[in-house]
Amino acid sequence: MFDIGASELLMIVIVAVVVIGPKDMPRALRTAGRWIGKMRKVSNHFRAGIDAMVREAELEELERKWREQNEAILKAHPQTPTLAEVEAAPAQFGQIAHHETEMEPIASPVTPPVAAPDAPPADEPAAAPSTTALPPP
């Protein structure tokens, strides 16, 4: 980053030992390490904020494109109900309203098979399976 070579780094270490002294060098290095750590945290936080803004901008762009495509599809197929219409009358479009908690069973009529005109009458239909619970073993 700063393009410091080995000879330049050696010169900085010698000057630091002479100026700071070997006795106070560990404390000075700890302090320098803390400051470098703080700067890295701030730069990482800043970078994360910039990345979040870029993601939000990309997301807004994708949402805008999605809305445009959705509007084009709705214009091409006008008989299709809009989202507002579906939310306003969910039963009309075969959906269950969000506030309903219990579902009613759907009655499906079972029609007996149609016998041929000269066929003998069919026996009674088979009994429905029992829904009673079995006793515990």
Side-chain angles (χ1 to χ4, degrees):
M1 182 166 96
F2 293 111
D3 196 29
I4 298 176
S7 61
E8 295 162 338
L9 189 58
L10 181 62
M11 182 60 83
I12 291 171
V13 169
I14 292 172
V15 170
V17 169
V18 170
V19 172
I20 297 173
K23 182 179 172 186
D24 294 328
M25 185 61 92
R27 189 178 64 181
L29 290 176
R30 270 194 305 273
T31 304
R34 286 184 189 136
W35 278 100
I36 290 171
K38 286 180 183 180
M39 287 190 303
R40 283 185 179 173
K41 285 180 186 177
V42 168
S43 68
N44 287 339
H45 183 69
F46 180 74
R47 186 177 303 130
I50 295 295
D51 289 344
M53 288 191 306
V54 168
R55 280 193 302 271
E56 287 177 11
E58 290 174 352
L59 183 62
E60 289 174 0
E61 178 68 22
L62 290 174
E63 286 177 351
R64 183 186 60 78
K65 286 181 181 179
W66 178 81
R67 272 190 234 108
E68 290 174 356
Q69 290 177 351
N70 195 24
E71 289 173 4
I73 291 170
L74 289 176
K75 287 179 184 177
H77 305 285
Q79 73 276 7
T80 305
T82 63
L83 180 61
E85 292 171 344
V86 171
E87 288 177 350
Q92 178 182 356
F93 296 103
Q95 295 181 354
I96 298 173
H98 295 291
H99 64 276
E100 294 179 8
T101 56
E102 295 182 15
M103 295 180 59
E104 296 179 18
I106 299 174
S108 60
V110 178
T111 57
V114 179
D118 47 328
D123 292 336
E124 292 184 19
S130 174
T131 57
T132 59
L134 295 176

